[in-house]
């Protein structure tokens, strides 16, 4: 779903206090400068799957347990804008999430690209269609990445730098979804699980290259999630859930706190 309004909130555990704009006031000047930390991106940045969703009046599924909220709280950030939204593609971030950026922004974080590559459709096909169709779907996603995702990332990254020239930009990647030869007795075969992980590797490699080309920092989360993928003994990702399908294949609250947050801490 596209999100067209940025929620700009000060750093408190549940983002209770928000920035306001009033012409001629110090608050207005601060708002024009931009919050110190702006969190952009898709469902992985919004915290879908972690629960404790904030009452934003949208379907963005922003969680109070998402890594941007945890980081802002731990570092006592003076001003924080949480714009990430479920289902966001690069174009959605470009058109609907950059409004909070400004000359005063010092940190920007984001995950984005998985939706552009078609991984939601891939996982639906893999869950319902069997190994052969799953492998074909992964191959299709990789072709989409090669064909157009790099250009989409370039446009977005350039716009972020233009709007926040002084910011450090941290682009976080995606974890492997499956632990191979793990505890799952049913579901996909390991050949399909391995193909999905390989697709994630291709996506992360592309994101890392484009981030580096723009002078951004890339944070790899795969090592942090190692041993905590689906089919591991202690997964930090939701497996397919017919009762809450949108949360399937997304990090749990421990995945945000113990997977994504340390990866951001290491580079910020």
């Amino acid at each position: 779903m596209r999100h067209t309004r940025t929620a700009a909130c000060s750093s408190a555990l549940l983002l209770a206090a928000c920035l306001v704009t009033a012409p001629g006031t110090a608050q207005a000047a601060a708002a024009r400068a931009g919050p110190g930390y702006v969190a952009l991106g898709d469902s992985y940045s919004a915290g879908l799957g972690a629960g404790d969703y904030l009452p934003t009046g949208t379907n963005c599924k922003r969680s109070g347990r998402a890594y941007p909220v945890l980081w802002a709280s731990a570092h006592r950030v003076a001003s924080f804008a949480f714009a990430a939204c479920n289902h966001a593609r690069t174009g959605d971030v470009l058109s609907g999430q950059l409004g909070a950026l400004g000359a005063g922004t010092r940190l920007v974080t984001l995950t984005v690209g998985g939706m552009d590559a078609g991984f939601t459709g891939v996982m639906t096909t893999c869950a319902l269609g069997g190994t052969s169709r799953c492998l074909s779907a992964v191959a299709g996603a990789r072709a989409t990445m090669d064909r157009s995702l790099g250009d989409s990332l370039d446009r977005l990254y350039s716009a972020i730098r233009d709007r926040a020239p002084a910011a450090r930009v941290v682009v976080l990647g995606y974890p492997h979804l499956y632990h191979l030869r793990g505890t799952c007795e049913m579901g996909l075969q390991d050949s399909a699980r391995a193909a999905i992980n390989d697709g994630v590797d291709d996506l992360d490699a592309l994101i890392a290259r484009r981030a580096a080309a723009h002078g951004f920092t890339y944070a790899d989360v795969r090592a942090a999630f190692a041993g905590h993928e689906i089919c591991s003994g202690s997964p930090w990702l939701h497996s397919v859930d017919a009762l809450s399908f949108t949360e399937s294949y997304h990090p749990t609250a421990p995945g945000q706190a113990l997977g994504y947050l340390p990866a951001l801490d290491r580079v910020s």
Side-chain angles (χ1 to χ4, degrees), residues 202-215:
D202 286 351
L203 176 59
D204 282 344
L206 175 59
I207 292 171
R209 289 195 303 271
R210 301 322 307 152
H214 289 263

Side-chain angles (χ1 to χ4, degrees), residues 34-99:
Y37 172 27
V38 179
L40 309 172
D42 60 14
S43 54
Y44 273 61
S45 288
L48 177 64
D52 191 23
Y53 299 119
L54 303 173
T56 62
T58 73
N59 288 324
C60 283
K61 293 290 186 179
R62 297 190 189 104
S63 171
R65 299 171 182 169
Y67 75 83
V69 180
L70 299 178
W71 195 93
S73 179
H75 293 268
R76 299 183 180 182
V77 175
S79 57
F80 169 45
F82 192 15
C85 189
N86 181 33
H87 283 165
R89 299 172 183 263
T90 54
D92 300 318
V93 178
L94 182 62
S95 65
Q97 295 186 19
L98 305 189

Side-chain angles (χ1 to χ4, degrees), residues 144-248:
T144 297
M145 292 181 230
D146 293 340
R147 182 171 59 250
S148 61
L149 182 54
D151 289 342
S152 296
L153 291 171
D154 283 339
R155 286 190 291 273
L156 174 59
Y157 293 167
S158 294
I160 291 171
R161 177 53 70 214
D162 287 345
R163 289 173 177 260
R168 180 169 194 182
V169 182
V170 179
V171 182
L172 296 96
Y174 297 91
H176 284 159
L177 295 182
Y178 285 103
H179 184 76
L180 303 183
R181 296 174 297 281
T183 60
C184 296
E185 297 181 359
M186 300 179 64
L188 299 177
Q189 297 179 2
D190 263 1
S191 58
R193 293 170 182 153
I196 292 168
N197 286 351
D198 288 345
V200 171
D201 287 338
D202 286 351
L203 176 59
D204 282 344
L206 175 59
I207 292 171
R209 289 195 303 271
R210 301 322 307 152
H214 289 263
F216 296 170
T217 300
Y218 176 75
D220 193 336
V221 301
R222 287 171 293 184
F225 275 83
H228 298 284
E229 308 92 339
I230 299 168
C231 298
S232 69
S234 178
W236 291 348
L237 292 150
H238 291 280
S239 185
V240 62
D241 185 348
L243 298 179
S244 184
F245 194 77
T246 58
E247 295 194 353
S248 302

Side-chain angles (χ1 to χ4, degrees), residues 253-264:
Q256 291 284 337
L258 302 177
Y260 270 93
L261 181 60
L264 177 56

